Amino acid sequence: MEGDDPAPTSMIDRVVRVLDTFDGSAPLSLSQVVRRSGLPRSSVHRILERLVAVRWLAREGRNYQLGLRMLELGSLALQQNALREAALPLMRGLSASGRHGVRLAVLDGAEVVYLERIEGPVENGAPARVGGRAPAYCTAVGKALLAYAGDDAVREVLRSGLKARTRFTITDPAQFVRELQRVREHGVAFEREEAVRGIACVAAAVRGPGPAVAALSVCGPARQLDFTRLSPAVQQAALRIWSATQARPSLPLRGSEGAPVGDWPTGTLDSWATWPRMTDWL
């Protein structure tokens, strides 16, 4: 590698150069990483030890190999790719049927991250670019995800604060908890101009009998969105995405709490889960 690429000029470039040396299954010694990366020995040693500390690498004696965190990140990337592949045809169908915007998102702490989107004819600045983030508490996808994420995830959101984005944003913790309870009862989440004025969304969780792995939403102008008509369509699409991902036995999906959610037959989406009331937190 030494003669193929220019010398890395930043720490990120050096870390990437070190990680790229692990291109096989065999562990590598410090000397081997130095030779393959073309970096100074002292720099390589510092980078290797830091990567071990954050679990990107593991050390056995004097040798290094890829760590569990790299495996986790790779599994997550595969999961997200499988979700997008399963979701895209259904997202296109939802968008075409009503000329609405459609989004697929996952939960990351107190925020949602958008994995895929199909833009509708009227977006009005709705913040949903692929890879973009938005607060979970004021988005339909966020509510759909948080409703099945567990107590700790909701507490994290409440600790972060429910800041008003518009005059319609739910900012009262007790009201927000009741909103999540309604999502669990009806299987669908609504956003009525809570994140962006003029935009409304309806969302459903992509899940089996456990935490949601993603959420799907349809969005459009608040005065034109037909919640009654769209709700069952979004729920059915979310269920079909879940069923499609479960048809891949080589890819065990994981919920937002990290536990494998396994393979379950169609029709068990909500019947296996009973969810405790959360009003005693407040």
Side-chain angles (χ1 to χ4, degrees):
M1 291 180 59
E2 298 91 322
D4 297 338
D5 300 315
T9 58
S10 71
M11 178 53 70
I12 292 177
D13 292 334
R14 294 188 183 113
V15 170
V16 171
R17 180 72 68 88
V18 168
L19 288 174
D20 279 347
T21 64
F22 293 88
D23 57 358
S25 59
L28 299 177
S29 67
L30 172 61
S31 296
Q32 288 174 308
V33 177
V34 169
R35 185 170 64 254
R36 291 187 178 193
S37 67
L39 296 174
R41 187 181 184 90
S42 58
S43 296
V44 170
H45 185 260
R46 286 196 301 271
I47 293 170
L48 287 172
E49 290 302 307
R50 184 55 189 159
L51 291 174
V52 168
V54 296
R55 299 191 304 126
W56 284 35
L57 295 179
R59 184 180 62 244
E60 293 185 3
R62 295 186 177 182
N63 292 328
Y64 299 85
Q65 61 187 13
L66 295 178
L68 288 177
R69 183 55 180 159
M70 293 292 288
L71 178 63
E72 292 167 355
L73 291 172
S75 176
L76 180 60
L78 288 174
Q79 173 180 324
Q80 292 178 350
N81 286 338
L83 283 167
R84 293 176 64 192
E85 182 179 340
L88 266 173
L90 295 161
M91 294 174 68
R92 293 189 184 106
L94 285 172
S95 178
S97 65
R99 294 174 54 81
H100 298 305
V102 186
R103 293 106 185 246
L104 180 73
V106 294
L107 187 66
D108 184 20
E111 297 179 315
V112 295
V113 180
Y114 293 98
L115 297 184
E116 190 56 80
R117 70 168 291 182
I118 295 177
E119 186 172 356
V122 181
E123 291 287 337
N124 291 348
R129 64 177 177 83
V130 174
R133 291 173 175 265
Y137 68 90
C138 61
T139 58
V141 285
K143 294 178 190 177
L145 289 161
L146 286 170
Y148 304 103
D151 294 0
D152 290 342
V154 179
R155 289 192 186 100
E156 180 178 351
V157 169
L158 295 178
R159 282 195 298 266
S160 299
L162 308 178
K163 182 180 178 181
R165 306 273 293 217
T166 74
R167 66 186 182 90
F168 300 103
T169 307
I170 297 174
T171 58
D172 176 65
Q175 183 183 355
F176 182 71
V177 168
R178 290 193 297 269
E179 180 83 351
L180 297 184
Q181 182 69 29
R182 283 192 290 269
V183 175
R184 289 191 293 274
E185 291 171 355
H186 299 288
V188 65
F190 300 124
E191 171 196 340
R192 299 177 175 89
E193 301 186 75
E194 296 170 46
V196 177
R197 286 292 304 271
I199 296 295
C201 303
V202 54
V206 178
R207 59 176 286 270
V213 298
L216 179 72
S217 72
V218 171
C219 302
R223 295 183 178 181
Q224 299 177 18
L225 208 66
D226 186 341
F227 289 102
T228 302
R229 181 181 66 85
L230 286 172
S231 293
V234 174
Q235 286 179 290
Q236 180 64 22
L239 177 57
R240 290 178 64 186
I241 293 171
W242 168 260
S243 298
T245 56
Q246 290 306 286
R248 301 166 179 264
S250 62
L251 183 62
L253 289 177
R254 293 180 176 270
S256 59
E257 294 177 349
V261 293
D263 294 327
W264 298 86
T266 301
T268 61
L269 184 63
D270 289 305
S271 60
W272 289 74
T274 56
W275 301 97
R277 297 186 64 84
M278 296 181 288
T279 51
D280 57 342
W281 305 351
L282 305 170

